[in-house]
Amino acid sequence: MRKPSTLLAMTLLLAACASPQPPAGGASTPVPVAAAPEASASQASGAVATAGAAPSAAPTSAAAVAPAATPGPASCGALGCLLFDTPVQAFSRVLESSPRVLAVGESHAQQGNEGVASATKRFTESFLPLLSGKASDLIVELWAVDPSCNKQKVAKVQEEQKAVTQSQAQGNQSEFVTLGHEAKRLGVVPDILRPSCAEYDAILKAGQGSIDQMLEMIARLTAAKAKALLARESMAGKMVVAYGGALHNDLAPGPGRERWSFGPELQAHTGGKYVELDIIVREFIKDTDSWKALPWYAHFKRDENPDKAILFNPAPGSYVLIFPRSS
């Protein structure tokens, strides 16, 4: 069986994680990974659906959801902090709201943390099985390259992306492929984004604003894809899940970031049945300005309850799940 990298003929954009330092204007940067641009959209879709990278550990059974949560420490205050024995229990609590759209954002693994399981790996192995039968589709932040687009322009966009991928762990790309592969195995259709040639032109014309243009495009395409999926007659009782960086799913994006988030648009479209969930690997949290700006950071005590999963609820429909300390 071929390796995922040989099947993945698309541009991969793992955008807007919380940990990198923000660019001018205070926003988080996207962290893309380039792959061969010459494949068709149908080939790209097939790569996500059939890539042969199996998860490195058996997925957690949905039956392992009990017992109930215990109240969080008093320092969590109004953020509704809860402690759980396992991350699966915390994720199950989030699902109790029965959203039409569940938008999961992660902090991407960075170089130097290869010994710590990433958020993508944990989501794939532990959370994805709970979505089987509940979710129809999983929209993953993968770009399918239209073969009719100018190859030189596509290559230039990929070159611009390299500046913001240098700090990213090398395994991120294959883990996103594994996520799509495992979703299909569980009966959840993996979906990707399909930028037009005009989108690539707009990114290049933006010059120094190219990253801003990419972030805006991701939000726009994801919202359009989710709306199209929700409109199907076969959607009765099922949700659409979006998985990507912890920026595009914001229900209350910060000033200047409004165009980068599909949260408010999909919340309105679903009549409030939208849930934003950020999943955070405890070891990735740093004492940097970008982390400190997050609403839950001041309430997070790194040395308290390190073996528990922590679930913050900063606002209605908004959750932050912090994994226990790694073994």
Side-chain angles (χ1 to χ4, degrees), residues 245-294:
L247 173 68
H248 299 298
N249 64 340
D250 285 353
L251 268 170
R257 303 183 186 183
E258 293 87 354
R259 295 177 303 161
W260 301 349
S261 176
F262 51 72
E265 181 178 355
L266 291 181
Q267 182 188 41
H269 184 77
T270 59
K273 298 294 287 182
Y274 172 92
V275 166
E276 164 199 357
L277 170 64
D278 291 342
I279 55 176
I280 310 294
V281 176
R282 184 182 294 254
E283 288 83 353
F284 294 174
I285 300 173
K286 307 297 182 184
D287 295 326
T288 61
D289 290 341
S290 55
W291 281 102
K292 291 177 180 178
L294 299 173

Side-chain angles (χ1 to χ4, degrees), residues 87 90 122 277-283 285 291 296-297 300-301 306 308-312 320-325:
R122 298 172 195 233
L277 170 64
D278 291 342
I279 55 176
I280 310 294
V281 176
R282 184 182 294 254
E283 288 83 353
I285 300 173
W291 281 102
W296 53 267
Y297 182 90
F300 172 66
K301 308 302 179 185
K308 299 289 187 180
I310 300 176
L311 185 67
F312 288 108
V320 177
L321 194 163
I322 301 177
F323 291 100
R325 178 180 56 193

Side-chain angles (χ1 to χ4, degrees), residues 117-301:
S118 69
T120 308
K121 178 179 174 65
R122 298 172 195 233
F123 180 87
T124 301
E125 296 180 355
S126 298
F127 296 168
L128 195 57
L130 274 68
L131 297 175
S132 180
K134 296 180 180 179
S136 65
D137 293 77
L138 173 69
I139 305 173
V140 184
E141 260 179 47
L142 299 175
W143 296 12
V145 177
D146 186 335
S148 67
C149 294
N150 183 293
K151 291 182 174 58
Q152 291 182 334
K153 292 183 178 180
V154 172
K156 287 181 180 179
V157 171
Q158 292 176 333
E159 188 64 30
E160 290 189 15
Q161 293 173 0
K162 289 181 181 180
V164 287
T165 60
Q166 298 179 77
S167 63
Q168 190 179 20
Q170 294 182 356
N172 283 351
Q173 177 172 336
S174 61
E175 288 185 350
F176 262 56
V177 176
T178 299
L179 172 59
H181 167 81
E182 186 64 13
K184 185 178 182 182
R185 189 186 73 81
L186 292 170
V188 181
V189 179
D191 295 293
I192 55 179
L193 306 180
R194 304 179 185 277
S196 65
C197 300
E199 300 278 11
Y200 281 95
D201 289 340
I203 291 171
L204 292 176
K205 290 179 181 178
Q208 294 185 347
S210 61
I211 300 302
D212 179 276
Q213 188 70 29
M214 292 180 196
L215 295 174
E216 180 180 349
M217 183 195 73
I218 291 169
R220 182 174 63 252
L221 294 182
T222 303
K225 184 69 174 179
K227 288 180 178 179
L229 293 172
L230 290 170
R232 298 177 305 180
E233 293 183 2
S234 60
M235 278 298 296
K238 291 194 174 183
M239 75 178 84
V240 169
V241 180
Y243 190 93
L247 173 68
H248 299 298
N249 64 340
D250 285 353
L251 268 170
R257 303 183 186 183
E258 293 87 354
R259 295 177 303 161
W260 301 349
S261 176
F262 51 72
E265 181 178 355
L266 291 181
Q267 182 188 41
H269 184 77
T270 59
K273 298 294 287 182
Y274 172 92
V275 166
E276 164 199 357
L277 170 64
D278 291 342
I279 55 176
I280 310 294
V281 176
R282 184 182 294 254
E283 288 83 353
F284 294 174
I285 300 173
K286 307 297 182 184
D287 295 326
T288 61
D289 290 341
S290 55
W291 281 102
K292 291 177 180 178
L294 299 173
W296 53 267
Y297 182 90
H299 303 275
F300 172 66
K301 308 302 179 185

